[in-house]
Amino acid sequence: MKLTKRSAAFLAVAASSLALTGITPAQAANTPNLTIGSVVVVKSWEPSQADIGHGIQYYQGVYDNLILRAPDGSFKPNLATKWTVNAASTEISLDLRTNVTFTDGTKFNSDVAAKNLNAFIAGNGPQAAPFAGGKAVKVDADTVKLTLANPNPDILYYLATTNSFMASAKALGTAGLKTTPVGSGPYIYDKSSVPGSKVVLTANPKYWDKSKQKFKKVTFVFMDQVPTRVNALRSGQVDATILDVANAATATSAGMKLTTYNTDWSGLMLFDRAGKINPALGKLEVRQAIAHAIDRAALLRTVQQGKGKVTGQIFSTASGVYDKAFDNKYAYNPTKAKELLTTAGYADGFTLQMPYGAFMEPMASFVETYLKAVKIKVEWVTAADYRTELLSGKYGAAWFQLFQGTPYVNYNLAIAPAAPRNILKSSDATTEAIDASIKANASAKNVIAQVKKANKHVVDQAWFVPFYTVPQMYFTNKKVSVKAQAQNAVPYLYNYAPTGK
């Protein structure tokens, strides 16, 4: 397999380190700087373009959202001091703070909150679907009401993650907001930043909540290759970054502290269930053949050194919709895979094109070998920006790691007709009926019942080929401690703390 590897951007940057302790800004002057090695870059600073996972840290630096999500996943006041959700989960009223100022000197109020929420809904960003058709209105000077077109039982989750970052009303809709954020957050975007490579944030001297402002400066350095990140961590060029199993021992032996937590499942996403891009994937037997062709247990042993758990579904064991029987539905069986391909009319195989990033090794090589054994030829397309390629809609299938949220959040992320990771917007009579039922009745009981049906259906239809769940391996040096964030790939920016060392 001849593959072109991308070289990672590497910049040695000094930055500040202080978070979630009682240390004051004055004491911060005596603490080391914090630099985070990040695997993603910011493409736009418009709040509507914020996404979950690795990218959310950037937005948390410069923007406040209405509700704060604590490390354990509970919800706390932030720009909203309290809120009320109606029984149907279609409407939320939020009482707002009145002492908040944006970095351009304008004030935060209910007019601004409504304008931001409506801009988010209209912005068609990566997490816009859950609020599609909604509308926010000012109730009075410090109250805003958001009404949704469809019930959303996890409305607090969305408002506490990506869907309510607040920008200055004066900046909203301007071209300048794409390149320079104008928020009320704990930090201010510094002009020494290098788009696509480095983001430097300095403390906002007028920030309203000093308990969250623990750094003089925060710097993110883009490093998409794991060896680059582990070397930067060992040399002190970054203070915190995410690594993998293959590099964990190197980091640990260098005295780095590991924080581990379960968040993601890893595997193939077979987007083209209708065969629009690759006709073969439109055949159920072909998708099932791919599932039977992969030796998940061997992948777990070789790629993950046994750290993780083989799975056949995208929902976690704690979700309430998990079914143990699904984990063995597509046991490794290349003979059966060949039989299914023959039944589907592909006895001689076919070519499957997927995006490729060097960070996928050695998993990608193993997957290629397994599929080649049943006459499916993998054609890798090297991606300069893997995530952008994944979401482009050009591919019928791709490898990815996706977080396992609550049942509704997970369903809304990957299965629902408008789900952002349902990239080709697959639907059929079963999924449409499930979606209609949830929209008609968003009670916890019905949501669990319907998402259970969805889980069974997408397993039966082989929409996904999960390999295993993977523990996140987040490392920090002796200067920094960190708390894992429930159901997020990396800790929230608020979760870092200095050790004083």
Side-chain angles (χ1 to χ4, degrees), residues 122-386:
N124 197 32
Q127 295 298 322
F131 284 7
K135 183 177 181 180
V137 297
K138 169 186 176 179
V139 176
D140 55 38
D142 61 355
T143 309
V144 66
K145 181 173 70 174
L146 172 64
T147 302
L148 301 179
N150 298 299
N152 189 323
D154 278 314
I155 189 171
L156 296 182
Y157 167 85
Y158 289 105
L159 288 173
T161 52
T162 58
N163 296 24
S164 75
F165 284 123
M166 296 283 125
S168 161
K170 187 177 178 180
L172 274 176
T174 67
L177 190 60
K178 294 179 180 179
T179 57
T180 305
V182 184
S184 65
Y187 303 97
I188 301 172
Y189 183 80
D190 192 87
K191 291 183 179 179
S192 65
S193 300
V194 181
S197 179
K198 177 180 69 171
V199 169
V200 180
L201 307 177
T202 57
N204 179 355
K206 298 181 180 179
Y207 188 55
W208 59 275
D209 184 3
K210 297 299 181 182
S211 69
K212 292 206 300 291
Q213 189 186 56
K214 303 297 184 179
F215 305 87
K216 288 175 59 182
K217 182 167 67 174
V218 176
T219 301
F220 295 94
V221 183
F222 174 55
M223 299 175 171
D224 63 344
Q225 302 299 316
V226 181
T228 303
R229 295 198 302 277
V230 72
N231 288 335
L233 186 66
R234 292 176 66 196
S235 66
Q237 293 171 322
V238 302
D239 301 307
T241 194
I242 193 165
L243 300 178
D244 59 12
V245 170
N247 290 275
T250 301
T252 302
S253 66
M256 304 302 150
K257 181 180 179 181
L258 169 64
T259 300
T260 186
Y261 44 99
N262 293 320
T263 299
D264 293 351
W265 65 271
S266 172
L268 298 179
M269 305 178 76
L270 307 183
F271 303 123
D272 196 12
R273 298 121 194 175
K276 295 177 182 177
I277 296 171
N278 189 324
L281 291 178
K283 299 281 190 177
L284 171 60
E285 295 89 353
V286 169
R287 300 194 302 273
Q288 291 175 329
I290 293 171
H292 278 297
I294 306 295
D295 190 342
R296 295 168 174 80
L299 277 180
L300 184 67
R301 289 193 304 270
T302 55
V303 177
Q304 284 294 119
Q305 299 177 17
K307 293 180 172 63
K309 182 180 181 296
V310 169
T311 188
Q313 55 203 298
I314 67 172
F315 293 90
S316 74
T317 56
S319 66
V321 302
Y322 170 87
D323 189 327
K324 185 177 180 180
F326 298 162
D327 287 341
N328 297 313
K329 183 175 177 67
Y330 298 109
Y332 177 53
N333 190 334
T335 299
K336 187 169 185 178
K338 291 176 183 178
E339 292 172 353
L340 287 164
L341 287 169
T342 298
T343 300
Y346 290 92
D348 295 326
F350 66 97
T351 298
L352 179 62
Q353 191 178 82
M354 293 190 288
Y356 171 85
F359 61 88
M360 293 162 55
E361 293 299 342
M363 181 273 300
S365 295
F366 285 118
V367 169
E368 179 179 352
T369 299
Y370 286 133
L371 294 182
K372 183 179 180 180
V374 298
K375 298 185 178 181
I376 298 174
K377 179 184 177 182
V378 176
E379 183 178 287
W380 297 109
V381 179
T382 301
D385 183 332
Y386 187 83

Side-chain angles (χ1 to χ4, degrees), residues 1-244:
M1 179 171 59
K2 195 171 182 180
L3 299 162
T4 302
K5 295 188 178 182
R6 295 174 286 152
S7 59
F10 186 90
L11 294 169
V13 188
S16 325
S17 165
L18 207 37
L20 293 187
T21 67
I23 296 176
T24 67
Q27 290 171 300
N30 299 317
T31 63
N33 291 331
L34 172 70
T35 303
I36 297 173
S38 180
V39 303
V40 299
V41 295
V42 175
K43 298 297 181 65
S44 171
W45 286 102
E46 287 184 333
S48 66
Q49 301 307 304
D51 205 354
I52 54 176
H54 296 270
I56 198 170
Q57 293 178 326
Y58 291 96
Y59 294 89
Q60 290 170 336
V62 295
Y63 294 116
D64 286 312
N65 45 19
L66 295 176
I67 299 171
L68 188 71
R69 191 165 181 259
D72 65 0
S74 60
F75 303 112
K76 308 291 184 183
N78 204 38
L79 288 184
T81 58
K82 59 183 178 179
W83 50 84
T84 303
V85 181
N86 69 352
S89 297
T90 57
E91 184 178 288
I92 183 170
S93 294
L94 303 108
D95 290 353
L96 307 176
R97 296 188 187 278
T98 58
N99 62 333
V100 177
T101 303
F102 292 99
T103 55
D104 63 359
T106 61
K107 300 290 186 181
F108 172 72
N109 55 38
S110 56
D111 281 317
V112 177
K115 186 173 182 179
N116 270 274
L117 289 169
N118 288 326
F120 176 85
I121 293 166
N124 197 32
Q127 295 298 322
F131 284 7
K135 183 177 181 180
V137 297
K138 169 186 176 179
V139 176
D140 55 38
D142 61 355
T143 309
V144 66
K145 181 173 70 174
L146 172 64
T147 302
L148 301 179
N150 298 299
N152 189 323
D154 278 314
I155 189 171
L156 296 182
Y157 167 85
Y158 289 105
L159 288 173
T161 52
T162 58
N163 296 24
S164 75
F165 284 123
M166 296 283 125
S168 161
K170 187 177 178 180
L172 274 176
T174 67
L177 190 60
K178 294 179 180 179
T179 57
T180 305
V182 184
S184 65
Y187 303 97
I188 301 172
Y189 183 80
D190 192 87
K191 291 183 179 179
S192 65
S193 300
V194 181
S197 179
K198 177 180 69 171
V199 169
V200 180
L201 307 177
T202 57
N204 179 355
K206 298 181 180 179
Y207 188 55
W208 59 275
D209 184 3
K210 297 299 181 182
S211 69
K212 292 206 300 291
Q213 189 186 56
K214 303 297 184 179
F215 305 87
K216 288 175 59 182
K217 182 167 67 174
V218 176
T219 301
F220 295 94
V221 183
F222 174 55
M223 299 175 171
D224 63 344
Q225 302 299 316
V226 181
T228 303
R229 295 198 302 277
V230 72
N231 288 335
L233 186 66
R234 292 176 66 196
S235 66
Q237 293 171 322
V238 302
D239 301 307
T241 194
I242 193 165
L243 300 178
D244 59 12

Side-chain angles (χ1 to χ4, degrees), residues 330-460:
Y330 298 109
Y332 177 53
N333 190 334
T335 299
K336 187 169 185 178
K338 291 176 183 178
E339 292 172 353
L340 287 164
L341 287 169
T342 298
T343 300
Y346 290 92
D348 295 326
F350 66 97
T351 298
L352 179 62
Q353 191 178 82
M354 293 190 288
Y356 171 85
F359 61 88
M360 293 162 55
E361 293 299 342
M363 181 273 300
S365 295
F366 285 118
V367 169
E368 179 179 352
T369 299
Y370 286 133
L371 294 182
K372 183 179 180 180
V374 298
K375 298 185 178 181
I376 298 174
K377 179 184 177 182
V378 176
E379 183 178 287
W380 297 109
V381 179
T382 301
D385 183 332
Y386 187 83
R387 187 176 177 280
T388 297
E389 283 294 291
L390 175 86
L391 300 175
S392 68
K394 296 189 298 186
Y395 300 93
W399 169 86
F400 204 54
Q401 282 188 194
L402 203 61
F403 89 108
Q404 295 179 308
T406 65
Y408 180 75
V409 167
N410 221 26
Y411 163 81
N412 233 15
L413 178 67
I415 299 174
R421 299 301 182 266
N422 183 359
I423 294 172
L424 299 181
K425 308 309 175 192
S426 300
S427 65
D428 55 28
T430 300
T431 57
E432 288 169 4
I434 289 168
D435 206 57
S437 178
I438 293 173
K439 288 175 179 177
N441 177 7
S443 67
K445 182 178 180 180
N446 189 55
V447 168
I448 291 293
Q450 295 305 318
V451 178
K452 277 185 177 180
K453 291 180 183 177
N455 189 25
K456 181 180 187 306
H457 183 66
V458 299
V459 170
D460 288 343

